[in-house]
Amino acid sequence: MKAKILALLRERGDYVSGQELCEQFGVSRTAVWKAVGQLKKEGYSIEATPNRGYLLAPESEVYGQHELCSRMGTKWAGRRVVFYETLPSTNLQAKLDAENGAGEGTLIVADTQTAGRGRRGRSWSSPGGKNVYFTLILKPDFDPEKAACVALVMGLAVAEGIEKACGVQAGIKWPNDIVVQGKKVCGILAEMSVEQDFIHYIVVGVGINVKEQEFAPELADRATSLWQECGRNVSRARLVTEVMGAFEACYEEFLRDGFAGKIMERYNGLLVNRNREVLVLDPQGEFRGISRGVNEEGLLLVEREEGSVVEVYAGEVSVRGIYGYV
Ligand code: BTN
Protein backbone atom coordinates (compact mmCIF):
# COMPACT_ATOMS: atom_id res chain seq x y z
CA MET A 1 0.00 0.00 0.00
CA LYS A 2 2.93 2.38 0.68
CA ALA A 3 3.96 2.30 -2.98
CA LYS A 4 0.37 2.99 -4.02
CA ILE A 5 0.09 5.93 -1.62
CA LEU A 6 3.35 7.33 -2.98
CA ALA A 7 2.19 6.91 -6.57
CA LEU A 8 -1.08 8.71 -5.87
CA LEU A 9 0.56 11.57 -3.95
CA ARG A 10 3.19 12.04 -6.67
CA GLU A 11 0.66 11.94 -9.47
CA ARG A 12 -1.62 14.46 -7.74
CA GLY A 13 1.16 16.91 -6.85
CA ASP A 14 -1.27 18.43 -4.36
CA TYR A 15 -2.96 17.52 -1.07
CA VAL A 16 -4.85 14.24 -1.02
CA SER A 17 -7.32 13.83 1.81
CA GLY A 18 -7.02 10.95 4.26
CA GLN A 19 -10.60 10.07 3.35
CA GLU A 20 -9.75 9.67 -0.33
CA LEU A 21 -6.76 7.47 0.47
CA CYS A 22 -8.93 5.28 2.74
CA GLU A 23 -11.57 4.88 0.05
CA GLN A 24 -9.06 4.31 -2.71
CA PHE A 25 -7.28 1.49 -0.89
CA GLY A 26 -10.18 0.18 1.20
CA VAL A 27 -8.38 0.65 4.53
CA SER A 28 -8.96 2.60 7.75
CA ARG A 29 -7.67 6.13 8.45
CA THR A 30 -5.34 4.66 11.05
CA ALA A 31 -3.84 2.32 8.44
CA VAL A 32 -3.21 5.27 6.10
CA TRP A 33 -1.74 7.35 8.91
CA LYS A 34 0.57 4.46 9.89
CA ALA A 35 1.71 3.90 6.30
CA VAL A 36 2.44 7.60 5.84
CA GLY A 37 4.35 7.59 9.15
CA GLN A 38 6.50 4.71 7.92
CA LEU A 39 7.21 6.47 4.65
CA LYS A 40 8.30 9.56 6.59
CA LYS A 41 10.58 7.39 8.70
CA GLU A 42 12.14 6.07 5.50
CA GLY A 43 12.98 9.65 4.61
CA TYR A 44 10.05 10.92 2.56
CA SER A 45 8.96 14.46 3.12
CA ILE A 46 5.17 14.26 3.48
CA GLU A 47 3.24 17.11 5.04
CA ALA A 48 0.03 16.24 6.92
CA THR A 49 -2.34 19.19 7.34
CA PRO A 50 -5.69 18.95 9.13
CA ASN A 51 -8.67 19.33 6.75
CA ARG A 52 -6.43 19.17 3.68
CA GLY A 53 -4.67 15.82 3.91
CA TYR A 54 -1.26 14.67 2.82
CA LEU A 55 1.19 16.41 0.48
CA LEU A 56 4.36 14.82 -0.90
CA ALA A 57 7.12 17.40 -1.31
CA PRO A 58 8.19 17.66 -4.95
CA GLU A 59 11.43 15.77 -5.66
CA SER A 60 11.05 13.87 -2.38
CA GLU A 61 12.21 10.37 -3.13
CA VAL A 62 14.08 7.65 -1.35
CA TYR A 63 15.75 5.11 -3.61
CA GLY A 64 14.34 1.79 -2.50
CA GLN A 65 11.55 -0.74 -2.74
CA HIS A 66 8.61 1.65 -2.39
CA GLU A 67 9.94 4.30 -4.75
CA LEU A 68 10.64 1.70 -7.43
CA CYS A 69 7.27 -0.03 -7.04
CA SER A 70 5.41 3.28 -7.01
CA ARG A 71 6.89 4.19 -10.41
CA MET A 72 6.83 0.82 -12.18
CA GLY A 73 4.35 1.02 -15.00
CA THR A 74 5.07 -2.33 -16.66
CA LYS A 75 2.92 -5.44 -17.03
CA TRP A 76 5.56 -7.99 -16.04
CA ALA A 77 9.15 -6.71 -16.33
CA GLY A 78 10.08 -5.49 -12.86
CA ARG A 79 6.54 -5.98 -11.57
CA ARG A 80 8.15 -7.76 -8.63
CA VAL A 81 11.05 -5.76 -7.23
CA VAL A 82 13.37 -7.01 -4.51
CA PHE A 83 15.53 -4.16 -3.23
CA TYR A 84 18.65 -4.58 -1.11
CA GLU A 85 20.85 -1.91 0.40
CA THR A 86 23.88 -4.16 -0.10
CA LEU A 87 24.48 -7.33 -2.05
CA PRO A 88 27.64 -9.02 -3.29
CA SER A 89 26.18 -8.92 -6.82
CA THR A 90 22.62 -8.57 -8.15
CA ASN A 91 23.46 -11.14 -10.87
CA LEU A 92 24.53 -13.64 -8.24
CA GLN A 93 21.38 -13.04 -6.19
CA ALA A 94 19.17 -13.25 -9.29
CA LYS A 95 20.70 -16.62 -10.20
CA LEU A 96 20.03 -17.96 -6.70
CA ASP A 97 16.47 -16.65 -6.82
CA ALA A 98 15.85 -17.99 -10.33
CA GLU A 99 17.04 -21.42 -9.20
CA ASN A 100 14.72 -21.21 -6.20
CA GLY A 101 11.67 -20.48 -8.31
CA ALA A 102 11.58 -16.67 -8.71
CA GLY A 103 9.42 -15.94 -11.72
CA GLU A 104 10.08 -14.17 -15.00
CA GLY A 105 10.19 -10.41 -14.55
CA THR A 106 11.56 -10.47 -11.00
CA LEU A 107 13.93 -7.54 -10.62
CA ILE A 108 16.79 -7.56 -8.12
CA VAL A 109 18.08 -4.09 -7.29
CA ALA A 110 20.88 -3.04 -4.95
CA ASP A 111 22.17 0.31 -3.80
CA THR A 112 25.68 -1.11 -3.35
CA GLN A 113 27.46 -4.22 -4.58
CA THR A 114 30.47 -5.55 -2.76
CA ALA A 115 31.48 -7.95 -5.54
CA GLY A 116 29.94 -6.42 -8.68
CA ARG A 117 30.89 -8.42 -11.76
CA GLY A 118 31.68 -7.24 -15.26
CA ARG A 119 32.14 -9.05 -18.56
CA ARG A 120 35.09 -11.34 -19.14
CA GLY A 121 35.81 -11.88 -15.46
CA ARG A 122 36.30 -8.21 -14.64
CA SER A 123 34.90 -6.56 -11.54
CA TRP A 124 32.35 -3.73 -11.61
CA SER A 125 32.92 -0.94 -9.14
CA SER A 126 29.63 -0.42 -7.29
CA PRO A 127 29.74 2.33 -4.64
CA GLY A 128 26.54 3.11 -2.73
CA GLY A 129 24.21 6.10 -3.03
CA LYS A 130 25.22 6.91 -6.59
CA ASN A 131 24.48 4.45 -9.33
CA VAL A 132 22.07 1.88 -10.58
CA TYR A 133 22.72 -1.86 -10.29
CA PHE A 134 19.95 -4.27 -11.16
CA THR A 135 19.33 -7.71 -12.64
CA LEU A 136 16.20 -8.95 -14.37
CA ILE A 137 15.22 -12.63 -14.35
CA LEU A 138 13.87 -14.13 -17.58
CA LYS A 139 12.60 -17.64 -18.17
CA PRO A 140 12.05 -17.83 -21.91
CA ASP A 141 11.04 -20.91 -23.86
CA PHE A 142 12.99 -20.14 -27.03
CA ASP A 143 16.11 -21.96 -28.27
CA PRO A 144 19.40 -21.20 -26.49
CA GLU A 145 20.87 -19.85 -29.79
CA LYS A 146 18.57 -16.85 -29.54
CA ALA A 147 19.72 -16.02 -26.02
CA ALA A 148 22.73 -13.92 -27.09
CA CYS A 149 20.32 -11.33 -28.50
CA VAL A 150 18.70 -10.73 -25.11
CA ALA A 151 21.65 -8.66 -23.88
CA LEU A 152 21.47 -6.61 -27.08
CA VAL A 153 17.75 -6.05 -26.52
CA MET A 154 18.57 -4.83 -23.01
CA GLY A 155 21.24 -2.53 -24.49
CA LEU A 156 18.65 -0.98 -26.76
CA ALA A 157 16.23 -0.62 -23.83
CA VAL A 158 18.87 1.08 -21.65
CA ALA A 159 19.70 3.58 -24.40
CA GLU A 160 15.99 4.33 -24.86
CA GLY A 161 15.37 4.46 -21.09
CA ILE A 162 18.23 6.92 -20.54
CA GLU A 163 16.86 9.21 -23.21
CA LYS A 164 13.39 9.11 -21.62
CA ALA A 165 14.62 9.59 -18.06
CA CYS A 166 16.97 12.51 -18.71
CA GLY A 167 16.97 13.45 -22.39
CA VAL A 168 20.56 12.32 -22.93
CA GLN A 169 21.25 10.70 -26.34
CA ALA A 170 22.98 7.41 -25.71
CA GLY A 171 24.54 5.08 -28.26
CA ILE A 172 25.61 1.44 -28.18
CA LYS A 173 29.12 0.09 -28.55
CA TRP A 174 28.77 -3.53 -29.60
CA PRO A 175 27.82 -5.76 -27.96
CA ASN A 176 26.24 -3.89 -25.12
CA ASP A 177 28.20 -1.01 -23.67
CA ILE A 178 26.06 2.09 -23.56
CA VAL A 179 28.02 5.21 -24.39
CA VAL A 180 27.45 8.93 -24.27
CA GLN A 181 29.82 11.27 -26.11
CA GLY A 182 32.20 8.38 -26.72
CA LYS A 183 32.44 7.29 -23.07
CA LYS A 184 30.90 4.29 -21.32
CA VAL A 185 27.96 5.06 -19.04
CA CYS A 186 26.56 1.55 -18.64
CA GLY A 187 27.62 -2.08 -18.83
CA ILE A 188 25.45 -5.16 -19.20
CA LEU A 189 26.21 -8.71 -18.11
CA ALA A 190 23.83 -11.47 -19.19
CA GLU A 191 24.29 -14.98 -17.86
CA MET A 192 22.22 -18.07 -18.42
CA SER A 193 21.63 -21.57 -17.22
CA VAL A 194 20.99 -24.04 -20.04
CA GLU A 195 20.47 -27.77 -20.23
CA GLN A 196 20.69 -29.26 -23.70
CA ASP A 197 18.05 -27.34 -25.66
CA PHE A 198 16.34 -25.86 -22.65
CA ILE A 199 16.97 -22.49 -21.00
CA HIS A 200 16.37 -22.63 -17.24
CA TYR A 201 16.82 -18.89 -16.92
CA ILE A 202 18.65 -15.85 -18.20
CA VAL A 203 19.67 -13.08 -15.81
CA VAL A 204 20.44 -9.70 -17.35
CA GLY A 205 22.46 -7.39 -15.11
CA VAL A 206 22.76 -3.68 -15.74
CA GLY A 207 25.06 -1.14 -14.12
CA ILE A 208 24.54 2.53 -14.98
CA ASN A 209 26.79 5.35 -13.76
CA VAL A 210 24.34 7.96 -12.56
CA LYS A 211 25.73 10.38 -9.97
CA GLU A 212 29.44 9.62 -10.27
CA GLN A 213 31.13 13.03 -10.39
CA GLU A 214 34.69 11.86 -10.83
CA PHE A 215 36.33 8.72 -12.14
CA ALA A 216 39.73 7.27 -11.31
CA PRO A 217 42.36 8.78 -13.64
CA GLU A 218 42.78 5.48 -15.53
CA LEU A 219 39.03 5.46 -16.33
CA ALA A 220 38.36 9.16 -16.81
CA ASP A 221 38.91 9.15 -20.58
CA ARG A 222 36.48 6.29 -21.23
CA ALA A 223 33.88 6.38 -18.45
CA THR A 224 31.15 8.91 -17.81
CA SER A 225 27.97 9.31 -15.77
CA LEU A 226 24.56 10.83 -16.44
CA TRP A 227 25.43 13.57 -13.94
CA GLN A 228 28.49 14.47 -16.01
CA GLU A 229 26.51 14.38 -19.24
CA CYS A 230 23.45 16.36 -18.21
CA GLY A 231 24.81 18.40 -15.33
CA ARG A 232 22.06 17.51 -12.90
CA ASN A 233 20.86 14.70 -10.70
CA VAL A 234 18.82 12.04 -12.44
CA SER A 235 16.30 10.05 -10.44
CA ARG A 236 17.64 6.51 -10.16
CA ALA A 237 14.16 5.10 -9.60
CA ARG A 238 12.82 6.87 -12.69
CA LEU A 239 15.76 5.56 -14.70
CA VAL A 240 15.19 1.95 -13.61
CA THR A 241 11.47 2.12 -14.35
CA GLU A 242 11.99 3.78 -17.76
CA VAL A 243 14.50 1.05 -18.67
CA MET A 244 12.04 -1.63 -17.54
CA GLY A 245 9.27 -0.04 -19.63
CA ALA A 246 11.51 0.10 -22.70
CA PHE A 247 12.79 -3.43 -22.12
CA GLU A 248 9.30 -4.89 -21.80
CA ALA A 249 8.27 -3.35 -25.13
CA CYS A 250 11.50 -4.34 -26.96
CA TYR A 251 11.57 -7.86 -25.56
CA GLU A 252 7.95 -8.53 -26.49
CA GLU A 253 8.76 -7.35 -30.01
CA PHE A 254 11.80 -9.63 -30.02
CA LEU A 255 9.70 -12.63 -28.88
CA ARG A 256 7.10 -11.89 -31.56
CA ASP A 257 9.26 -10.98 -34.56
CA GLY A 258 12.78 -12.12 -33.64
CA PHE A 259 15.82 -9.87 -33.61
CA ALA A 260 15.76 -9.35 -37.37
CA GLY A 261 13.60 -6.45 -38.43
CA LYS A 262 12.70 -3.39 -36.42
CA ILE A 263 14.74 -4.26 -33.31
CA MET A 264 17.90 -4.90 -35.34
CA GLU A 265 17.31 -1.69 -37.29
CA ARG A 266 16.95 0.34 -34.09
CA TYR A 267 19.99 -1.35 -32.57
CA ASN A 268 22.12 -0.68 -35.65
CA GLY A 269 20.82 2.89 -35.71
CA LEU A 270 22.32 3.44 -32.25
CA LEU A 271 25.55 1.56 -32.91
CA VAL A 272 28.34 4.09 -32.45
CA ASN A 273 31.04 1.96 -34.05
CA ARG A 274 29.08 1.22 -37.22
CA ASN A 275 31.08 1.90 -40.39
CA ARG A 276 34.13 2.69 -38.30
CA GLU A 277 37.48 1.05 -38.19
CA VAL A 278 37.71 -1.40 -35.31
CA LEU A 279 40.29 -3.66 -33.78
CA VAL A 280 38.83 -7.09 -32.99
CA LEU A 281 40.55 -8.50 -29.93
CA ASP A 282 39.94 -12.15 -30.67
CA PRO A 283 41.96 -14.53 -28.47
CA GLN A 284 42.61 -16.52 -31.69
CA GLY A 285 44.30 -13.45 -33.18
CA GLU A 286 43.60 -9.74 -33.37
CA PHE A 287 42.54 -8.15 -36.64
CA ARG A 288 41.36 -4.84 -38.01
CA GLY A 289 38.35 -4.12 -40.14
CA ILE A 290 35.33 -1.92 -40.67
CA SER A 291 32.33 -2.68 -38.45
CA ARG A 292 29.17 -3.01 -40.58
CA GLY A 293 26.59 -3.46 -37.82
CA VAL A 294 24.97 -6.59 -36.39
CA ASN A 295 23.15 -9.32 -38.30
CA GLU A 296 19.86 -11.01 -37.37
CA GLU A 297 21.70 -13.22 -34.84
CA GLY A 298 23.28 -10.26 -33.09
CA LEU A 299 26.77 -11.04 -34.44
CA LEU A 300 28.94 -8.10 -35.44
CA LEU A 301 29.85 -8.05 -39.13
CA VAL A 302 33.40 -6.87 -39.63
CA GLU A 303 34.72 -6.29 -43.13
CA ARG A 304 38.41 -7.11 -43.39
CA GLU A 305 40.83 -5.26 -45.63
CA GLU A 306 40.75 -7.88 -48.37
CA GLY A 307 36.94 -7.64 -48.49
CA SER A 308 35.82 -10.75 -46.59
CA VAL A 309 33.18 -10.23 -43.91
CA VAL A 310 33.70 -11.93 -40.55
CA GLU A 311 30.87 -12.61 -38.10
CA VAL A 312 32.17 -11.73 -34.65
CA TYR A 313 30.64 -13.49 -31.66
CA ALA A 314 30.57 -11.50 -28.41
CA GLY A 315 31.65 -14.32 -26.06
CA GLU A 316 35.39 -13.84 -25.78
CA VAL A 317 35.87 -11.04 -28.24
CA SER A 318 36.18 -7.35 -27.59
CA VAL A 319 36.11 -4.56 -30.13
CA ARG A 320 38.06 -1.32 -29.77
CA GLY A 321 38.07 1.79 -31.87
CA ILE A 322 41.39 2.38 -33.54
CA TYR A 323 41.67 5.85 -32.03
CA GLY A 324 40.08 5.28 -28.65
CA TYR A 325 37.45 3.40 -26.73
CA VAL A 326 34.66 3.65 -29.34
C1 BTN B 1 30.56 -4.86 -18.20
O1 BTN B 1 31.63 -5.38 -17.94
O2 BTN B 1 30.47 -3.90 -18.99
C2 BTN B 1 29.28 -5.36 -17.59
C3 BTN B 1 29.02 -4.77 -16.25
C4 BTN B 1 27.72 -5.24 -15.61
C5 BTN B 1 27.54 -4.69 -14.23
C6 BTN B 1 26.20 -5.01 -13.65
S1 BTN B 1 25.87 -4.10 -12.19
C7 BTN B 1 24.46 -5.08 -11.89
C8 BTN B 1 24.80 -6.49 -12.26
N1 BTN B 1 25.42 -7.19 -11.15
C9 BTN B 1 26.69 -7.48 -11.40
O3 BTN B 1 27.46 -8.06 -10.59
N2 BTN B 1 27.04 -7.07 -12.62
C10 BTN B 1 25.94 -6.46 -13.31
Side-chain angles (χ1 to χ4, degrees), residues 10 32 56 70 92 105 143 160 165 175 245 270 279 281-282 322:
R10 186 182 316 107
V32 166
L56 176 69
S70 74
L92 223 58
D143 284 350
E160 292 182 355
L270 291 179
L279 176 65
L281 304 170
D282 187 331
I322 299 299

CSV table of all heavy atoms in Angstrom, one decimal, residues 10 32 56 70 92 105 143 160 165 175 245 270 279 281-282 322:
chain,number,residue,atom,x,y,z
A,10,ARG,N,2.3,11.5,-5.6
A,10,ARG,CA,3.2,12.0,-6.7
A,10,ARG,C,2.4,12.5,-7.9
A,10,ARG,O,2.6,13.6,-8.4
A,10,ARG,CB,4.3,11.0,-7.1
A,10,ARG,CG,5.3,11.7,-8.0
A,10,ARG,CD,6.4,10.7,-8.5
A,10,ARG,NE,6.9,9.9,-7.5
A,10,ARG,CZ,6.7,8.6,-7.4
A,10,ARG,NH1,5.9,8.0,-8.3
A,10,ARG,NH2,7.2,7.9,-6.5
A,32,VAL,N,-3.8,4.3,7.0
A,32,VAL,CA,-3.2,5.3,6.1
A,32,VAL,C,-2.2,6.1,6.9
A,32,VAL,O,-1.0,6.3,6.5
A,32,VAL,CB,-4.3,6.2,5.5
A,32,VAL,CG1,-3.6,7.4,4.8
A,32,VAL,CG2,-5.1,5.5,4.4
A,56,LEU,N,3.0,15.3,-0.7
A,56,LEU,CA,4.4,14.8,-0.9
A,56,LEU,C,5.2,16.0,-1.5
A,56,LEU,O,4.8,16.5,-2.5
A,56,LEU,CB,4.4,13.6,-1.9
A,56,LEU,CG,5.7,13.0,-2.3
A,56,LEU,CD1,6.4,12.3,-1.1
A,56,LEU,CD2,5.6,12.0,-3.4
A,70,SER,N,6.4,2.2,-6.8
A,70,SER,CA,5.4,3.3,-7.0
A,70,SER,C,5.5,3.8,-8.4
A,70,SER,O,4.6,4.5,-8.9
A,70,SER,CB,5.6,4.4,-6.0
A,70,SER,OG,6.7,5.2,-6.3
A,92,LEU,N,24.4,-12.4,-9.1
A,92,LEU,CA,24.5,-13.6,-8.2
A,92,LEU,C,23.2,-13.9,-7.5
A,92,LEU,O,22.7,-15.1,-7.5
A,92,LEU,CB,25.6,-13.4,-7.2
A,92,LEU,CG,26.6,-14.4,-7.0
A,92,LEU,CD1,27.3,-14.9,-8.2
A,92,LEU,CD2,27.7,-13.9,-5.9
A,105,GLY,N,10.5,-11.8,-14.8
A,105,GLY,CA,10.2,-10.4,-14.5
A,105,GLY,C,10.6,-9.9,-13.2
A,105,GLY,O,10.5,-8.8,-12.9
A,143,ASP,N,14.9,-21.2,-28.2
A,143,ASP,CA,16.1,-22.0,-28.3
A,143,ASP,C,17.3,-21.2,-27.7
A,143,ASP,O,17.4,-20.0,-27.9
A,143,ASP,CB,16.4,-22.2,-29.7
A,143,ASP,CG,15.6,-23.3,-30.3
A,143,ASP,OD1,14.9,-24.0,-29.5
A,143,ASP,OD2,15.6,-23.5,-31.5
A,160,GLU,N,17.3,3.7,-24.8
A,160,GLU,CA,16.0,4.3,-24.9
A,160,GLU,C,15.5,4.9,-23.5
A,160,GLU,O,15.0,6.0,-23.4
A,160,GLU,CB,14.9,3.4,-25.5
A,160,GLU,CG,15.3,3.1,-26.9
A,160,GLU,CD,14.2,2.2,-27.6
A,160,GLU,OE1,13.3,1.7,-27.0
A,160,GLU,OE2,14.4,1.9,-28.8
A,165,ALA,N,14.5,9.1,-19.5
A,165,ALA,CA,14.6,9.6,-18.1
A,165,ALA,C,15.3,10.9,-18.0
A,165,ALA,O,15.0,11.7,-17.0
A,165,ALA,CB,15.4,8.6,-17.2
A,175,PRO,N,29.2,-5.3,-27.9
A,175,PRO,CA,27.8,-5.8,-28.0
A,175,PRO,C,26.8,-5.0,-27.1
A,175,PRO,O,25.7,-4.8,-27.5
A,175,PRO,CB,27.9,-7.2,-27.4
A,175,PRO,CG,29.1,-7.2,-26.5
A,175,PRO,CD,30.1,-6.1,-27.1
A,245,GLY,N,10.4,-0.3,-18.7
A,245,GLY,CA,9.3,0.0,-19.6
A,245,GLY,C,9.8,-0.3,-21.0
A,245,GLY,O,9.1,-1.0,-21.9
A,270,LEU,N,21.7,2.9,-33.4
A,270,LEU,CA,22.3,3.4,-32.3
A,270,LEU,C,23.8,3.0,-32.1
A,270,LEU,O,24.5,3.4,-31.2
A,270,LEU,CB,21.6,3.1,-31.0
A,270,LEU,CG,20.2,3.7,-30.8
A,270,LEU,CD1,19.5,3.1,-29.5
A,270,LEU,CD2,20.3,5.2,-30.7
A,279,LEU,N,39.3,-2.6,-34.0
A,279,LEU,CA,40.3,-3.7,-33.8
A,279,LEU,C,39.6,-4.8,-33.0
A,279,LEU,O,39.0,-4.6,-32.0
A,279,LEU,CB,41.4,-3.1,-32.9
A,279,LEU,CG,42.5,-4.0,-32.5
A,279,LEU,CD1,43.3,-4.5,-33.7
A,279,LEU,CD2,43.4,-3.3,-31.5
A,281,LEU,N,39.6,-7.8,-30.8
A,281,LEU,CA,40.6,-8.5,-29.9
A,281,LEU,C,40.1,-9.9,-29.7
A,281,LEU,O,39.6,-10.3,-28.7
A,281,LEU,CB,40.6,-7.7,-28.6
A,281,LEU,CG,40.9,-6.2,-28.7
A,281,LEU,CD1,40.7,-5.5,-27.4
A,281,LEU,CD2,42.4,-6.1,-29.2
A,282,ASP,N,40.3,-10.7,-30.7
A,282,ASP,CA,39.9,-12.2,-30.7
A,282,ASP,C,41.1,-12.9,-30.1
A,282,ASP,O,42.2,-12.8,-30.6
A,282,ASP,CB,39.7,-12.6,-32.1
A,282,ASP,CG,39.1,-14.0,-32.2
A,282,ASP,OD1,39.4,-14.8,-31.2
A,282,ASP,OD2,38.3,-14.3,-33.1
A,322,ILE,N,40.0,2.3,-33.3
A,322,ILE,CA,41.4,2.4,-33.5
A,322,ILE,C,42.0,3.6,-32.8
A,322,ILE,O,43.1,3.6,-32.3
A,322,ILE,CB,41.6,2.5,-35.1
A,322,ILE,CG1,41.1,1.3,-35.8
A,322,ILE,CG2,43.1,2.7,-35.4
A,322,ILE,CD1,41.7,0.0,-35.4
